[in-house]
Amino acid sequence: MKVLVIGGGAREHALCRSLSLDPDVTALHCAPGNAGIAEVAELHGVNALDGAAVADLAAGLKADLVVVGPEAPLVAGVADAVRERGIPVFGPSAEAAQLEGSKAFAKDVMAAAAVPTARSYVCTTPAEIDEALDAFGAPYVVKDDGLAAGKGVVVTDDVEAARAHALACVSQRREATPSGAVAGDGRAVIEEFLDGPEVSLFAITDGETVVPLQPAQDFKRAYDGDQGPNTGGMGAYSPLPWADPKLVDEVMATVLQPTVDELHRRGTPFSGLLYAGLAITSRGVRVIEFNARFGDPETQVVLARLQTPLGGLLLAAATGNLAALPPLRWRDDAAVTVVIASHNYPDTPRTGDPIEGLADVVAQDAPDAYVLHAGTRRDDSGAVLSAGGRVLSVTATGADLTTARQRAYRAVGRISLDGSQHRTDIAAKVADQAAEATETQGA
Protein backbone atom coordinates (compact mmCIF):
# COMPACT_ATOMS: atom_id res chain seq x y z
CA MET A 1 0.00 0.00 0.00
CA LYS A 2 0.93 3.65 -0.45
CA VAL A 3 0.87 5.58 2.82
CA LEU A 4 0.92 9.34 3.44
CA VAL A 5 1.80 10.52 6.96
CA ILE A 6 0.88 14.07 8.00
CA GLY A 7 3.17 15.87 10.46
CA GLY A 8 6.81 16.59 11.06
CA GLY A 9 7.82 15.65 14.60
CA ALA A 10 9.45 12.70 16.35
CA ARG A 11 6.06 11.01 16.62
CA GLU A 12 5.71 11.09 12.85
CA HIS A 13 9.30 9.91 12.42
CA ALA A 14 8.50 6.94 14.70
CA LEU A 15 5.39 6.21 12.66
CA CYS A 16 7.29 6.49 9.38
CA ARG A 17 10.09 4.28 10.66
CA SER A 18 7.66 1.54 11.67
CA LEU A 19 5.71 1.87 8.42
CA SER A 20 8.94 1.65 6.42
CA LEU A 21 9.61 -1.71 8.09
CA ASP A 22 6.18 -3.07 7.08
CA PRO A 23 6.66 -5.24 3.95
CA ASP A 24 3.16 -4.33 2.75
CA VAL A 25 4.03 -0.61 2.59
CA THR A 26 5.42 -0.15 -0.92
CA ALA A 27 5.58 3.66 -0.95
CA LEU A 28 5.84 6.08 1.98
CA HIS A 29 5.24 9.82 1.86
CA CYS A 30 5.19 12.52 4.54
CA ALA A 31 4.05 16.14 4.67
CA PRO A 32 5.83 18.24 5.69
CA GLY A 33 8.25 15.86 7.44
CA ASN A 34 11.73 16.74 8.72
CA ALA A 35 15.39 15.97 8.05
CA GLY A 36 15.19 12.50 9.60
CA ILE A 37 11.90 11.48 8.03
CA ALA A 38 13.40 12.32 4.64
CA GLU A 39 15.62 9.25 5.03
CA VAL A 40 12.64 6.87 4.98
CA ALA A 41 9.88 8.79 3.17
CA GLU A 42 9.41 11.21 0.30
CA LEU A 43 8.62 14.66 1.67
CA HIS A 44 6.00 17.11 0.39
CA GLY A 45 5.78 20.79 1.28
CA VAL A 46 2.09 20.86 2.18
CA ASN A 47 0.56 22.75 5.10
CA ALA A 48 -0.58 20.05 7.53
CA LEU A 49 -3.50 22.25 8.67
CA ASP A 50 -4.89 22.71 5.14
CA GLY A 51 -7.43 19.91 4.73
CA ALA A 52 -8.05 20.57 1.04
CA ALA A 53 -4.32 20.60 0.24
CA VAL A 54 -3.73 17.38 2.19
CA ALA A 55 -6.66 15.70 0.43
CA ASP A 56 -5.37 16.86 -2.96
CA LEU A 57 -1.92 15.49 -2.18
CA ALA A 58 -3.35 12.14 -1.04
CA ALA A 59 -5.47 11.87 -4.18
CA GLY A 60 -2.56 12.83 -6.41
CA LEU A 61 -0.37 10.19 -4.82
CA LYS A 62 -3.19 7.64 -5.02
CA ALA A 63 -2.59 6.95 -1.35
CA ASP A 64 -4.24 3.86 0.11
CA LEU A 65 -3.99 5.27 3.64
CA VAL A 66 -3.45 8.69 5.22
CA VAL A 67 -2.17 8.83 8.80
CA VAL A 68 -2.70 12.18 10.54
CA GLY A 69 -0.14 12.52 13.31
CA PRO A 70 -0.56 15.80 15.25
CA GLU A 71 -3.63 17.02 17.11
CA ALA A 72 -3.97 20.43 15.46
CA PRO A 73 -4.75 19.05 11.96
CA LEU A 74 -7.26 16.62 13.48
CA VAL A 75 -9.09 19.37 15.36
CA ALA A 76 -8.96 21.46 12.17
CA GLY A 77 -10.82 18.75 10.25
CA VAL A 78 -8.03 17.44 8.03
CA ALA A 79 -9.17 13.84 8.46
CA ASP A 80 -12.69 14.86 7.39
CA ALA A 81 -11.38 16.46 4.20
CA VAL A 82 -9.48 13.28 3.30
CA ARG A 83 -12.46 11.01 4.05
CA GLU A 84 -14.69 13.14 1.86
CA ARG A 85 -12.40 12.21 -1.05
CA GLY A 86 -13.00 8.51 -0.35
CA ILE A 87 -9.48 7.85 0.96
CA PRO A 88 -9.05 5.76 4.13
CA VAL A 89 -7.61 7.89 6.93
CA PHE A 90 -6.30 7.01 10.37
CA GLY A 91 -7.45 9.81 12.65
CA PRO A 92 -10.75 11.02 14.11
CA SER A 93 -13.13 13.58 12.69
CA ALA A 94 -12.94 17.16 13.94
CA GLU A 95 -16.02 16.57 16.09
CA ALA A 96 -14.57 13.43 17.70
CA ALA A 97 -11.15 15.10 18.08
CA GLN A 98 -12.79 17.56 20.46
CA LEU A 99 -12.03 14.87 23.02
CA GLU A 100 -8.58 16.49 22.99
CA GLY A 101 -9.48 19.87 21.50
CA SER A 102 -11.71 20.77 24.44
CA LYS A 103 -11.13 19.46 27.95
CA ALA A 104 -14.65 20.61 28.85
CA PHE A 105 -16.06 18.42 26.08
CA ALA A 106 -13.95 15.49 27.30
CA LYS A 107 -15.30 15.95 30.83
CA ASP A 108 -18.85 15.90 29.49
CA VAL A 109 -18.19 12.67 27.58
CA MET A 110 -16.59 11.06 30.62
CA ALA A 111 -19.53 12.02 32.82
CA ALA A 112 -21.99 10.48 30.35
CA ALA A 113 -19.88 7.30 30.04
CA ALA A 114 -19.26 6.99 33.81
CA VAL A 115 -15.50 7.16 33.21
CA PRO A 116 -13.54 7.80 36.45
CA THR A 117 -11.78 11.16 36.38
CA ALA A 118 -10.91 14.14 38.55
CA ARG A 119 -13.66 16.43 39.80
CA SER A 120 -13.47 19.72 37.93
CA TYR A 121 -14.94 23.13 37.23
CA VAL A 122 -15.13 24.78 33.81
CA CYS A 123 -14.51 28.48 34.38
CA THR A 124 -15.14 31.47 32.14
CA THR A 125 -14.99 34.38 34.62
CA PRO A 126 -12.61 35.55 37.37
CA ALA A 127 -15.30 34.86 39.99
CA GLU A 128 -15.68 31.26 38.82
CA ILE A 129 -11.91 30.84 38.89
CA ASP A 130 -11.67 32.03 42.50
CA GLU A 131 -14.52 29.77 43.54
CA ALA A 132 -12.92 26.71 41.94
CA LEU A 133 -9.46 27.40 43.39
CA ASP A 134 -10.96 27.83 46.84
CA ALA A 135 -12.99 24.63 46.49
CA PHE A 136 -10.02 22.40 45.68
CA GLY A 137 -7.11 24.06 47.44
CA ALA A 138 -3.43 23.29 46.82
CA PRO A 139 -1.88 21.77 44.85
CA TYR A 140 -3.81 23.59 42.14
CA VAL A 141 -4.35 22.04 38.70
CA VAL A 142 -5.29 24.53 35.98
CA LYS A 143 -5.71 23.54 32.34
CA ASP A 144 -6.24 25.52 29.17
CA ASP A 145 -9.47 24.14 27.69
CA GLY A 146 -8.01 24.04 24.19
CA LEU A 147 -4.89 22.75 22.48
CA ALA A 148 -1.64 23.96 24.01
CA ALA A 149 1.05 21.63 22.62
CA GLY A 150 1.42 19.81 25.92
CA LYS A 151 2.21 23.03 27.80
CA GLY A 152 -1.25 24.27 28.79
CA VAL A 153 -1.28 22.70 32.26
CA VAL A 154 -0.03 24.32 35.45
CA VAL A 155 0.29 22.33 38.68
CA THR A 156 1.38 24.56 41.56
CA ASP A 157 1.02 25.30 45.26
CA ASP A 158 1.03 29.02 44.46
CA VAL A 159 -2.56 30.22 44.23
CA GLU A 160 -1.53 33.44 42.47
CA ALA A 161 0.32 31.50 39.77
CA ALA A 162 -2.71 29.23 39.37
CA ARG A 163 -5.05 32.21 39.13
CA ALA A 164 -2.81 33.95 36.59
CA HIS A 165 -2.77 30.88 34.32
CA ALA A 166 -6.54 30.49 34.60
CA LEU A 167 -7.12 34.15 33.75
CA ALA A 168 -4.82 33.82 30.73
CA CYS A 169 -6.87 30.81 29.57
CA VAL A 170 -10.24 32.56 29.82
CA SER A 171 -8.92 35.63 28.04
CA GLN A 172 -8.23 33.61 24.89
CA ARG A 173 -10.72 33.01 22.11
CA ARG A 174 -10.04 30.49 19.39
CA GLU A 175 -11.37 30.38 15.88
CA ALA A 176 -13.89 27.70 14.98
CA THR A 177 -12.62 24.68 13.07
CA PRO A 178 -13.93 24.02 9.55
CA SER A 179 -16.56 21.69 11.05
CA GLY A 180 -17.83 24.43 13.34
CA ALA A 181 -16.38 22.91 16.50
CA VAL A 182 -14.39 25.20 18.75
CA ALA A 183 -11.08 24.11 20.27
CA GLY A 184 -11.33 25.79 23.64
CA ASP A 185 -13.34 28.99 23.86
CA GLY A 186 -11.94 31.24 26.52
CA ARG A 187 -12.29 28.61 29.24
CA ALA A 188 -10.12 27.21 31.99
CA VAL A 189 -10.64 23.79 33.53
CA ILE A 190 -9.68 23.64 37.21
CA GLU A 191 -9.42 20.16 38.71
CA GLU A 192 -8.71 18.36 41.92
CA PHE A 193 -5.14 17.10 42.16
CA LEU A 194 -4.71 13.39 41.45
CA ASP A 195 -2.03 11.57 43.44
CA GLY A 196 -0.07 8.55 42.26
CA PRO A 197 2.06 7.66 39.22
CA GLU A 198 0.93 8.53 35.71
CA VAL A 199 0.52 6.08 32.83
CA SER A 200 -0.09 6.60 29.13
CA LEU A 201 -2.21 3.97 27.42
CA PHE A 202 -2.92 4.12 23.68
CA ALA A 203 -5.71 2.26 21.93
CA ILE A 204 -6.41 1.76 18.24
CA THR A 205 -10.11 1.94 17.42
CA ASP A 206 -12.34 1.93 14.35
CA GLY A 207 -15.23 3.50 16.25
CA GLU A 208 -16.51 0.24 17.71
CA THR A 209 -13.71 -2.27 18.30
CA VAL A 210 -10.93 -1.10 20.64
CA VAL A 211 -7.43 -2.64 20.61
CA PRO A 212 -5.13 -1.46 23.41
CA LEU A 213 -1.39 -1.06 22.95
CA GLN A 214 1.22 -1.56 25.69
CA PRO A 215 1.33 1.12 28.42
CA ALA A 216 4.18 3.59 28.77
CA GLN A 217 5.24 6.34 31.15
CA ASP A 218 6.57 9.72 30.11
CA PHE A 219 8.39 12.53 31.92
CA LYS A 220 6.73 15.93 31.56
CA ARG A 221 8.94 18.17 33.68
CA ALA A 222 11.94 19.80 32.03
CA TYR A 223 14.60 18.87 34.55
CA ASP A 224 15.87 15.90 36.53
CA GLY A 225 13.89 14.87 39.58
CA ASP A 226 10.66 16.08 37.97
CA GLN A 227 11.63 19.70 38.52
CA GLY A 228 10.99 22.71 36.32
CA PRO A 229 8.13 23.61 33.99
CA ASN A 230 5.87 21.21 32.13
CA THR A 231 6.98 20.33 28.61
CA GLY A 232 5.69 18.28 25.72
CA GLY A 233 7.67 15.37 27.20
CA MET A 234 11.37 14.80 27.89
CA GLY A 235 11.49 11.01 27.70
CA ALA A 236 9.55 7.78 28.12
CA TYR A 237 9.88 4.06 28.74
CA SER A 238 7.94 0.83 28.29
CA PRO A 239 6.99 -1.66 29.70
CA LEU A 240 6.01 -0.71 33.26
CA PRO A 241 7.28 -3.48 35.54
CA TRP A 242 5.58 -1.92 38.56
CA ALA A 243 2.09 -1.78 37.02
CA ASP A 244 -0.69 -4.22 37.89
CA PRO A 245 -0.84 -6.93 35.18
CA LYS A 246 -4.60 -6.32 35.04
CA LEU A 247 -4.22 -2.58 34.41
CA VAL A 248 -4.84 -2.71 30.65
CA ASP A 249 -7.95 -4.87 31.06
CA GLU A 250 -9.29 -2.54 33.76
CA VAL A 251 -8.73 0.58 31.64
CA MET A 252 -10.33 -1.11 28.64
CA ALA A 253 -13.45 -1.91 30.67
CA THR A 254 -13.80 1.35 32.59
CA VAL A 255 -12.29 3.98 30.28
CA LEU A 256 -11.54 3.14 26.65
CA GLN A 257 -14.52 1.06 25.55
CA PRO A 258 -17.10 3.20 27.41
CA THR A 259 -15.66 6.37 25.84
CA VAL A 260 -15.72 4.93 22.33
CA ASP A 261 -19.25 3.65 22.90
CA GLU A 262 -20.44 7.04 24.17
CA LEU A 263 -19.03 8.89 21.16
CA HIS A 264 -20.65 6.33 18.86
CA ARG A 265 -23.96 6.85 20.68
CA ARG A 266 -23.68 10.60 20.09
CA GLY A 267 -23.25 10.07 16.36
CA THR A 268 -19.60 11.18 16.38
CA PRO A 269 -17.72 7.86 16.25
CA PHE A 270 -14.05 8.06 17.18
CA SER A 271 -11.80 6.26 14.68
CA GLY A 272 -8.06 6.46 15.13
CA LEU A 273 -5.80 6.59 18.17
CA LEU A 274 -7.42 7.18 21.56
CA TYR A 275 -4.83 8.14 24.17
CA ALA A 276 -5.76 7.95 27.84
CA GLY A 277 -3.50 9.80 30.25
CA LEU A 278 -4.08 8.06 33.58
CA ALA A 279 -3.26 8.55 37.25
CA ILE A 280 -3.01 5.42 39.38
CA THR A 281 -4.39 7.02 42.56
CA SER A 282 -5.04 5.70 46.05
CA ARG A 283 -8.71 5.52 45.02
CA GLY A 284 -8.07 3.67 41.77
CA VAL A 285 -7.45 4.59 38.12
CA ARG A 286 -8.52 8.10 37.10
CA VAL A 287 -8.33 9.77 33.67
CA ILE A 288 -6.20 12.90 33.64
CA GLU A 289 -6.87 13.70 29.99
CA PHE A 290 -7.64 12.24 26.60
CA ASN A 291 -5.67 12.85 23.44
CA ALA A 292 -6.87 12.11 19.93
CA ARG A 293 -3.52 10.95 18.52
CA PHE A 294 -0.33 9.12 19.35
CA GLY A 295 1.57 10.75 22.22
CA ASP A 296 5.09 12.08 21.93
CA PRO A 297 7.49 10.70 23.28
CA GLU A 298 5.51 7.59 24.34
CA THR A 299 4.94 6.58 20.72
CA GLN A 300 8.67 6.17 20.26
CA VAL A 301 8.93 3.44 22.93
CA VAL A 302 5.59 1.76 22.22
CA LEU A 303 6.29 1.33 18.51
CA ALA A 304 9.82 0.15 19.27
CA ARG A 305 8.21 -2.85 20.99
CA LEU A 306 5.35 -3.51 18.55
CA GLN A 307 6.03 -6.54 16.38
CA THR A 308 2.75 -6.56 14.42
CA PRO A 309 3.21 -4.66 11.11
CA LEU A 310 1.90 -1.13 11.62
CA GLY A 311 0.46 -0.45 8.17
CA GLY A 312 -2.12 -3.22 8.27
CA LEU A 313 -3.15 -2.29 11.81
CA LEU A 314 -3.79 1.37 10.97
CA LEU A 315 -5.57 0.48 7.72
CA ALA A 316 -7.88 -1.92 9.58
CA ALA A 317 -8.85 0.90 11.94
CA ALA A 318 -9.41 3.29 9.04
CA THR A 319 -11.65 0.82 7.20
CA GLY A 320 -13.63 -0.58 10.14
CA ASN A 321 -11.99 -4.01 10.11
CA LEU A 322 -10.19 -4.12 13.47
CA ALA A 323 -12.32 -6.99 14.80
CA ALA A 324 -10.95 -9.27 12.07
CA LEU A 325 -7.29 -8.80 13.05
CA PRO A 326 -5.41 -11.39 15.14
CA PRO A 327 -4.05 -10.31 18.56
CA LEU A 328 -1.13 -7.90 18.47
CA ARG A 329 2.38 -9.29 18.84
CA TRP A 330 4.96 -7.58 21.07
CA ARG A 331 8.69 -7.87 21.57
CA ASP A 332 9.88 -8.81 25.06
CA ASP A 333 12.50 -6.05 24.94
CA ALA A 334 12.21 -2.87 26.98
CA ALA A 335 12.50 0.54 25.30
CA VAL A 336 13.68 3.95 26.53
CA THR A 337 13.54 7.33 24.77
CA VAL A 338 15.54 10.40 25.81
CA VAL A 339 14.58 13.77 24.31
CA ILE A 340 17.28 16.25 23.38
CA ALA A 341 15.87 19.78 23.51
CA SER A 342 17.28 23.05 22.28
CA HIS A 343 18.60 25.91 24.39
CA ASN A 344 15.89 27.68 26.44
CA TYR A 345 13.17 25.04 25.90
CA PRO A 346 10.30 25.04 26.91
CA ASP A 347 10.42 28.83 26.66
CA THR A 348 11.29 30.38 23.30
CA PRO A 349 13.89 27.91 21.97
CA ARG A 350 16.99 28.81 20.03
CA THR A 351 17.05 27.26 16.56
CA GLY A 352 19.48 27.02 13.67
CA ASP A 353 22.28 25.28 15.58
CA PRO A 354 24.15 22.47 13.77
CA ILE A 355 23.67 18.90 15.02
CA GLU A 356 26.64 16.58 14.86
CA GLY A 357 27.21 12.94 15.77
CA LEU A 358 24.11 11.46 14.10
CA ALA A 359 26.22 9.31 11.78
CA ASP A 360 28.20 8.04 14.78
CA VAL A 361 25.00 6.70 16.35
CA VAL A 362 24.15 4.86 13.14
CA ALA A 363 27.65 3.43 12.85
CA GLN A 364 28.17 2.42 16.46
CA ASP A 365 24.77 1.90 18.11
CA ALA A 366 22.35 0.60 15.46
CA PRO A 367 20.12 -1.32 15.54
CA ASP A 368 19.85 -1.24 19.35
CA ALA A 369 19.68 2.57 19.43
CA TYR A 370 18.56 5.07 16.84
CA VAL A 371 17.63 8.74 16.53
CA LEU A 372 14.17 10.03 15.67
CA HIS A 373 14.02 13.64 14.51
CA ALA A 374 11.57 16.16 15.92
CA GLY A 375 12.57 19.76 15.23
CA THR A 376 15.20 19.50 12.50
CA ARG A 377 15.88 20.74 8.98
CA ARG A 378 18.70 20.62 6.45
CA ASP A 379 20.44 23.75 5.21
CA ASP A 380 21.58 24.30 1.63
CA SER A 381 24.79 22.37 2.29
CA GLY A 382 22.92 19.35 3.65
CA ALA A 383 23.87 19.90 7.29
CA VAL A 384 21.21 19.06 9.88
CA LEU A 385 20.14 22.04 12.02
CA SER A 386 17.84 22.43 15.00
CA ALA A 387 14.43 23.81 14.08
CA GLY A 388 12.30 23.54 17.21
CA GLY A 389 12.17 23.08 20.95
CA ARG A 390 12.34 19.30 21.16
CA VAL A 391 14.94 18.43 18.56
CA LEU A 392 15.67 14.69 18.75
CA SER A 393 14.32 11.55 20.43
CA VAL A 394 17.08 9.02 21.05
CA THR A 395 15.44 5.60 21.38
CA ALA A 396 17.00 2.32 22.44
CA THR A 397 15.87 -1.21 23.22
CA GLY A 398 17.34 -3.90 25.43
CA ALA A 399 16.55 -7.05 27.34
CA ASP A 400 15.56 -4.89 30.33
CA LEU A 401 15.16 -1.21 31.19
CA THR A 402 18.69 -0.96 32.59
CA THR A 403 20.18 -2.12 29.29
CA ALA A 404 17.83 0.01 27.21
CA ARG A 405 18.60 3.21 29.10
CA GLN A 406 22.35 2.54 29.04
CA ARG A 407 22.18 2.20 25.27
CA ALA A 408 20.02 5.32 24.92
CA TYR A 409 22.34 7.50 26.98
CA ARG A 410 25.43 6.14 25.23
CA ALA A 411 23.89 7.28 21.94
CA VAL A 412 22.91 10.65 23.46
CA GLY A 413 26.55 11.14 24.40
CA ARG A 414 27.61 10.92 20.75
CA ILE A 415 25.38 13.83 19.69
CA SER A 416 26.53 17.43 19.79
CA LEU A 417 24.08 20.37 19.77
CA ASP A 418 25.25 23.66 21.26
CA GLY A 419 23.26 24.67 24.33
CA SER A 420 21.10 21.55 24.24
CA GLN A 421 19.55 19.98 27.30
CA HIS A 422 18.21 16.56 28.26
CA ARG A 423 17.17 14.79 31.41
CA THR A 424 19.65 12.26 32.79
CA ASP A 425 17.14 10.30 34.90
CA ILE A 426 14.70 8.89 32.34
CA ALA A 427 13.57 5.45 33.63
CA ALA A 428 16.42 5.43 36.18
CA LYS A 429 14.32 4.84 39.29
CA VAL A 430 12.15 2.10 37.81
CA ALA A 431 15.15 0.39 36.19
CA ASP A 432 16.91 0.25 39.55
CA GLN A 433 13.80 -1.09 41.25
CA ALA A 434 13.34 -3.76 38.58
CA ALA A 435 16.99 -4.80 38.89
CA GLU A 436 16.68 -5.05 42.69
CA ALA A 437 13.55 -7.16 42.35
CA THR A 438 15.31 -9.51 39.95
CA GLU A 439 18.25 -9.87 42.33
CA THR A 440 15.88 -10.59 45.23
CA GLN A 441 14.07 -13.27 43.24
CA GLY A 442 17.40 -14.81 42.26
CA ALA A 443 18.52 -14.94 45.89
Side-chain angles (χ1 to χ4, degrees):
M1 70 179 98
K2 295 180 181 178
V3 182
L4 169 63
V5 176
I6 303 303
R11 166 186 45 229
E12 288 74 39
H13 193 178
L15 288 165
C16 285
R17 178 182 182 274
S18 290
L19 288 166
S20 72
L21 298 174
D22 185 338
D24 289 335
V25 175
T26 55
L28 184 58
H29 301 265
C30 187
N34 61 40
I37 295 174
E39 297 176 5
V40 296
E42 182 179 344
L43 302 190
H44 302 269
V46 170
N47 182 355
L49 295 172
D50 188 336
V54 170
D56 286 344
L57 174 61
L61 294 173
K62 297 182 179 179
D64 301 296
L65 174 67
V66 175
V67 179
V68 183
E71 61 273 23
L74 292 169
V75 172
V78 168
D80 302 88
V82 175
R83 282 195 185 93
E84 288 171 3
R85 299 289 286 272
I87 302 169
V89 58
F90 182 82
S93 67
E95 294 293 340
Q98 286 301 295
L99 203 60
E100 177 172 2
S102 169
K103 294 175 180 64
F105 174 80
K107 288 290 185 181
D108 183 64
V109 170
M110 284 188 274
V115 169
T117 187
R119 293 180 297 121
S120 64
Y121 291 92
V122 178
C123 305
T124 58
T125 68
E128 290 175 348
I129 290 170
D130 290 339
E131 181 181 353
L133 293 174
D134 290 342
F136 288 132
Y140 304 98
V141 181
V142 182
K143 299 180 177 181
D144 190 328
D145 181 49
L147 299 179
K151 290 171 282 187
V153 180
V154 166
V155 180
T156 178
D157 289 325
D158 184 342
V159 68
E160 292 305 322
R163 181 179 288 112
H165 184 63
L167 289 171
C169 293
V170 301
S171 69
Q172 300 179 71
R173 308 287 291 185
R174 290 177 175 76
E175 295 182 0
T177 65
S179 67
V182 176
D185 191 14
R187 296 178 290 193
V189 177
I190 298 177
E191 297 184 347
E192 65 173 330
F193 176 77
L194 296 175
D195 63 328
E198 296 183 10
V199 173
S200 299
L201 184 60
F202 302 162
I204 307 286
T205 178
D206 57 12
E208 295 184 6
T209 300
V210 181
V211 177
L213 304 184
Q214 290 289 303
Q217 187 175 57
D218 75 333
F219 294 75
K220 289 293 188 188
R221 298 285 186 169
Y223 311 130
D224 284 5
D226 291 327
Q227 300 298 306
N230 268 343
T231 71
M234 295 299 291
Y237 71 92
S238 179
L240 312 182
W242 52 266
D244 188 329
K246 298 179 181 178
L247 175 63
V248 173
D249 291 340
E250 178 185 350
V251 176
M252 271 289 294
T254 63
V255 175
L256 298 171
Q257 193 69 59
T259 299
V260 170
D261 291 345
E262 171 61 19
L263 288 168
H264 189 272
R265 185 192 68 78
R266 293 179 178 216
T268 55
F270 189 105
S271 172
L273 193 288
L274 178 58
Y275 167 145
L278 309 166
I280 313 302
T281 77
S282 55
R283 294 171 293 151
V285 175
R286 298 289 186 271
V287 174
I288 300 171
E289 65 177 355
F290 281 124
N291 290 330
R293 39 70 192 180
F294 280 99
D296 182 347
E298 301 98 318
T299 299
Q300 289 86 302
V301 292
V302 172
L303 292 186
R305 300 185 58 228
L306 180 64
Q307 200 165 10
T308 298
L310 185 62
L313 176 60
L314 302 187
L315 182 63
T319 55
N321 294 312
L322 265 184
L325 287 189
L328 299 183
R329 293 178 289 115
W330 295 92
R331 297 180 177 89
D332 292 332
D333 283 358
V336 171
T337 284
V338 179
V339 171
I340 298 177
S342 55
H343 176 74
N344 205 40
Y345 178 79
D347 293 326
T348 305
R350 190 176 76 201
T351 61
D353 291 313
I355 303 168
E356 298 179 351
L358 298 175
D360 294 334
V361 175
V362 174
Q364 301 183 55
D365 300 300
D368 298 322
Y370 50 89
V371 179
L372 299 169
H373 292 229
T376 66
R377 66 177 179 85
R378 289 191 184 274
D379 65 11
D380 293 340
S381 69
V384 179
L385 308 178
S386 63
R390 292 187 295 172
V391 181
L392 303 169
S393 283
V394 180
T395 301
T397 56
D400 50 39
L401 286 171
T402 297
T403 304
R405 73 181 307 274
Q406 287 173 346
R407 288 172 172 172
Y409 278 106
R410 184 165 59 225
V412 168
R414 302 190 199 282
I415 297 170
S416 173
L417 171 61
D418 185 49
S420 66
Q421 56 179 312
H422 65 271
R423 284 185 57 160
T424 65
D425 63 347
I426 302 301
K429 183 177 180 180
V430 69
D432 290 343
Q433 291 171 342
E436 289 175 6
T438 300
E439 290 176 4
T440 300
Q441 291 171 0

